[in-house]
Amino acid sequence: MRNTIPAAALMCALPLATGQHHYGPSKWNGPHEGSKTWPGHSYSPTASASAAASSSAGSQQQTCDMLTAAEVEAMGNNTLFNRWRPRSHFLAPAGWMNDPCAPIYDPTRDVYHLFYQWHPQHINWGNISWGYATSKDMVTWEDHNGWQDHEALALGPTGYGNYNGLGIFSGTGQPVNMQGEVDGTLLLFYTSVAHLPTNWMIDYQPYTETQSLASSTDGGKTWTEYAGNPVINTTTNMPPMSWNLTGFRDPFFEPWPAMDALLGQDEAHYYAVFGSGIKGVGPRMPLWSAPASDLTDWTFLGALWEPAANTSLGPLLSTGTYGFNFEVSGFFSLPDSDGNLHYYVNMGTEGGNLTFHESNHWALWNEGVVSRRENGSAEFTPIAGGAGDWGLSYALNSFNDTKNNRRVQWAWAPEDLAGDDGLFSAHQQGFQGSLTLPRELFVHEVDHVLNINGSVSEAREASLRQHSDGTFKALTLGVRPLPDVVSALLAPATHKTYDVGTITAPQILQQSGSMHMRFKATITSHTGACGLLIATSPDEDQTESTRIIYEPTNHTLLVDRSHSSTIQEGFNNASVIGYFNPYTVLSPHHPNTTNPAEPQPQQEPITMDIFIDGSLVEIYLDERFALTTRIYPSMECSTGFGVFVQEGTEAVFERVEAWMGMLDAWPKRPRDSSSPLVFDSPAETGNYTWWPGN
């Protein structure tokens, strides 16, 4: 067993990230530890690339050949296509992908639709289009018109000089026509891009971004741009907004009956918010509306929310920073168990560099009170907030799943490549990015919470309702992977349970697991840092291993990736930090030993629910915390898992379970759905000023 580093020390050693515009990967230069080899093992590129194409339960055939950075760099395009590729998540058939767009449930045909930002046959951002797939259940998916090359394309740029000539940026959709009627029409609302580059830090060129509509009357087989596009054609320093813009993109639109009532609307309206900001002032969430009877007629209602630049709701560790510009904004209302509505916004924040967050982009949420200003406009005032994802996932996009009466959210999970200016292994893999599992959002409630020394109220992650006995009900935004989707994905898996109980030292529970699995455990008590081990190599020294640790001294979850891969110079191995503070509750189920008539304060158990799918790792805690990260083990046999405690710590683990070998979410794609990679010419890229071209 290798020497371990205390979790608190790891947090103090985190580097300051220097992320770029969210469409491109950030650059990170990690330490070079040199190549490691095991006696008797050598690497075969052909064997390694092909072996990664199959993954089942714990009995799967795995090799312990160690891939090196030099070997990766010597390999050709697409040769590592399946080495770290997720198979149970939503992702493009090949090429670059980023934001999820326009998730829709079509009640006329009983079909789910989901789009995504796409640059087919390229491994970097550029010429952004919309790829497209459909599903009957959000479990298995089928590419629109096929998976090869550009076949899955739904919308694409039309060439420089047009309102949508250089990009189809993010947006949303509704299963209605332009008169708000449900007749089988599908309606998309997106940002049309005429000029590039765009970035909150540079001067905004007029009419860079406008807002446009496209529709389909044949269930998504074909799409038609609205002849009157763009339907919102204002720009920087022009009425009706008259803002010195940092950006104006990513329309999120829905009916919002509660807003109709607040504003005294005589007829039903749709409302839209956008990612935006005012230079030198702060990020903004502009609010527009259109009557449901005419979704081409949009009116500016002012800023729904006006935070100052680079501020935060509460402590940075627990609520994050608003930065200088918003992207991919959204709004929704959710009822609690008493039927009271809670109003939420989500946003991608740009520019707020923090030492403990690995990017200057952050997916956040806030709950707030929506009121009416004296001038008649609506105002959002935040009362609680946190991260929609504490890791690298970004560009949150949600929709009302009317089939199941629930709010479902998708998020983009970029790669985490460090070498070669953030493109190490990108050509060899032949793609970048995927989406997270679909997540259900709900009002999470815990009763009889103790606000000890103000620890809950000061964190600002929850709103509190006080009871007569001095305890509180804590209400925050809940998040969990869709239970029905998870059940279906695990249907073919091998399920095992482990009797762990009390431990005082780390334990490997199984040396050979799967690259596509779920691992879940509940920690019922602990005296220090503890958690789970994943992606562990079977050698005695655990040459490769990832530790997921709850650190009670500062209420954080730490993902220690310092030994996740021996390819240190190629992949980001920085630790990932998220804030999580278990509640202390007065529970009648734990009587006070000195006074049986009084309940005993008890810290709630911590349930860690982890999904590993190729390089993608999603971590959920107690249905109110999500963190996404990436790991790239150099050895295919690094699939072991276990439980962890820091030296001198005792912890009790219950309900420890693993499911190995998850369902393929793309049954109609071949396992190798790679496409030939191409490089754009200077003419296609504005002499490489619009996008890199690779």
Side-chain angles (χ1 to χ4, degrees), residues 149-471:
D149 300 340
H150 296 74
E151 287 180 341
L153 192 71
L155 299 173
T158 57
Y160 185 66
N162 298 322
Y163 72 94
N164 60 357
L166 292 186
I168 309 294
F169 278 11
S170 298
T172 46
Q174 291 293 330
V176 297
N177 60 26
M178 293 186 192
Q179 293 74 46
E181 301 163 334
V182 178
D183 65 353
T185 300
L186 303 173
L187 184 63
L188 306 180
F189 196 12
Y190 70 90
T191 294
S192 38
V193 180
H195 303 288
L196 286 173
T198 183
N199 187 299
W200 69 271
M201 294 180 289
I202 64 177
D203 289 338
Y204 190 89
Q205 186 171 351
Y207 298 103
T208 290
E209 298 160 315
T210 55
Q211 319 306 324
S212 297
L213 297 170
S215 62
S216 173
T217 57
D218 56 11
K221 295 178 182 178
T222 59
W223 295 89
T224 302
E225 302 276 358
Y226 173 55
N229 279 343
V231 294
I232 298 179
N233 197 33
T234 188
T235 190
T236 187
N237 294 314
M238 286 188 63
M241 291 168 61
S242 299
W243 295 354
N244 185 9
L245 289 173
T246 54
F248 180 40
R249 56 181 169 269
D250 312 331
F252 178 94
F253 82 119
E254 281 191 354
W256 198 358
M259 184 63 74
D260 282 343
L262 179 71
L263 298 181
Q265 301 283 15
D266 294 330
E267 63 173 308
H269 277 63
Y270 276 64
Y271 296 87
V273 294
F274 301 79
S276 190
I278 303 175
K279 285 189 179 296
V281 179
R284 289 292 182 268
M285 199 173 287
L287 179 66
W288 291 67
S289 73
S293 58
D294 186 0
L295 294 177
T296 70
D297 182 19
W298 290 89
T299 300
F300 179 54
L301 302 181
L304 179 64
W305 184 25
E306 301 175 319
N310 208 28
T311 58
S312 62
L313 174 65
L316 290 171
L317 182 62
S318 56
T319 62
T321 173
Y322 298 143
F324 300 89
N325 182 61
F326 285 163
E327 300 184 289
V328 285
S329 299
F331 63 82
F332 50 91
S333 305
L334 295 171
D336 62 25
S337 59
D338 295 324
N340 300 310
L341 276 184
H342 295 250
Y343 297 91
Y344 296 95
V345 296
N346 64 262
M347 57 283 185
T349 73
E350 288 195 294
N353 275 330
L354 296 171
T355 55
F356 65 88
H357 185 66
E358 62 175 336
S359 170
N360 66 354
H361 296 89
W362 212 342
L364 302 183
W365 64 268
N366 273 189
E367 181 189 354
V369 176
V370 180
S371 58
R372 190 171 182 176
R373 298 185 180 99
E374 290 184 3
N375 64 6
S377 63
E379 180 179 24
F380 177 87
T381 304
I383 60 174
D389 193 290
W390 288 97
L392 52 70
S393 281
Y394 189 69
L396 307 178
N397 202 335
S398 71
F399 76 108
N400 182 14
D401 178 12
T402 55
K403 181 178 181 179
N404 297 287
N405 190 29
R406 60 187 177 184
R407 172 66 50 175
V408 176
Q409 182 185 78
W410 296 89
W412 168 45
E415 304 293 327
D416 211 357
L417 313 180
D420 191 19
D421 288 329
L423 292 178
F424 174 83
S425 81
H427 289 94
Q428 291 80 6
Q429 293 192 64
F431 71 95
Q432 284 212 65
S434 72
L435 302 187
T436 62
L437 292 170
R439 298 169 174 177
E440 182 179 4
L441 304 179
F442 60 98
V443 180
H444 184 280
E445 306 175 49
V446 176
D447 218 344
H448 304 295
V449 172
L450 294 174
N451 186 24
I452 300 173
N453 297 323
S455 59
V456 180
S457 58
E458 290 176 5
R460 301 297 298 274
E461 269 206 313
S463 57
L464 299 177
R465 295 179 185 169
Q466 189 165 11
H467 299 307
S468 58
D469 63 358
T471 66

Side-chain angles (χ1 to χ4, degrees), residues 469-492:
D469 63 358
T471 66
F472 297 84
K473 175 182 278 190
L475 303 101
T476 191
L477 183 61
V479 58
R480 60 191 169 215
L482 290 184
D484 50 311
V485 171
V486 170
S487 295
L489 291 175
L490 297 180

Side-chain angles (χ1 to χ4, degrees), residues 4-7 502-506 525-530 547 551-552 644-652:
T4 59
I5 304 170
T502 302
I503 65 168
T504 56
S525 67
H526 56 85
T527 61
C530 56
R547 300 187 301 170
E551 174 53 70
F644 171 84
V645 291
Q646 192 73 54
E647 184 177 355
T649 293
E650 178 179 286
V652 179

